[in-house]
Amino acid sequence: MAQFMDVHTSMPGVTAQALHEAHQADLAIQDDESVQFTHAWADPESGHVFCLSEGPSKEAVQRIHERAGHPYDEIHEITVTA
Amino acid sequence: MAQFMDVHTSMPGVTAQALHEAHQADLAIQDDESVQFTHAWADPESGHVFCLSEGPSKEAVQRIHERAGHPYDEIHEITVTA
């Protein structure tokens, strides 16, 4: 499976509750696309949210995010880590 | 300690070796500013690198990155996770 970091740039003021609900919405349907969201980090001040996931493709990640109501603004395939 | 996600946008073609060396350069001096870099994820195709860290301030993180030769292009304070 490939690894991805996707970025949402339009969630200013996102609360712990809102992020939890958004993440749960992804987890509830992620198996439909063999995607696994592992972590989400949010900066409510700038509205940026970074989501780390594994899955078959960028498109599969986006389909889950779209169905859950929060498409990403940007996605990067992570092929090198440290 | 606060948590940060900083983003470098100008490392196209970054290799595993290059990222490892950059990360080690940070680790070697991070104690000077009480910063702790915990993980780095890179997309060599777009040149984006995402660095997760903990530390006293955004400025402290940037000072370490600058001294190590790779200032960030963007930084976000992470106050909500899931």
Side-chain angles (χ1 to χ4, degrees):
Chain A
M1 283 289 189
Q3 188 176 44
F4 302 99
M5 182 76 85
D6 70 74
V7 185
H8 304 259
T9 58
S10 50
M11 293 187 175
V14 57
T15 62
Q17 177 68 20
L19 186 66
H20 175 74
E21 285 169 6
H23 191 56
Q24 291 305 311
D26 287 329
L27 300 188
I29 58 173
Q30 65 181 7
D31 293 349
D32 294 357
E33 300 271 2
S34 306
V35 170
Q36 193 172 19
F37 287 96
T38 51
H39 213 99
W41 297 272
D43 170 7
E45 205 177 291
S46 70
H48 280 61
V49 178
F50 301 88
C51 297
L52 190 64
S53 66
E54 291 181 9
S57 67
K58 294 178 180 181
E59 293 74 18
V61 173
Q62 182 71 307
R63 281 193 295 268
I64 295 297
H65 263 347
E66 278 173 346
R67 284 176 53 200
H70 43 256
Y72 58 64
D73 296 294
E74 197 184 313
I75 191 164
H76 300 275
E77 182 168 354
I78 302 303
T79 55
V80 177
T81 61
Chain B
M1 281 291 188
Q3 188 176 41
F4 301 99
M5 182 76 85
D6 70 74
V7 186
H8 305 260
T9 58
S10 49
M11 292 188 177
V14 58
T15 63
Q17 178 68 18
L19 187 66
H20 175 74
E21 286 168 5
H23 190 56
Q24 291 305 312
D26 288 327
L27 300 187
I29 58 172
Q30 66 181 6
D31 293 349
D32 295 357
E33 300 272 2
S34 307
V35 170
Q36 193 171 18
F37 287 96
T38 51
H39 213 99
W41 298 272
D43 170 7
E45 205 175 293
S46 69
H48 280 61
V49 179
F50 301 90
C51 298
L52 191 64
S53 66
E54 291 180 9
S57 68
K58 294 178 179 181
E59 294 74 17
V61 173
Q62 182 71 309
R63 281 194 294 269
I64 294 297
H65 265 345
E66 280 174 344
R67 285 177 52 201
H70 43 257
Y72 58 64
D73 296 293
E74 196 185 315
I75 192 164
H76 299 276
E77 183 168 354
I78 302 301
T79 55
V80 176
T81 61

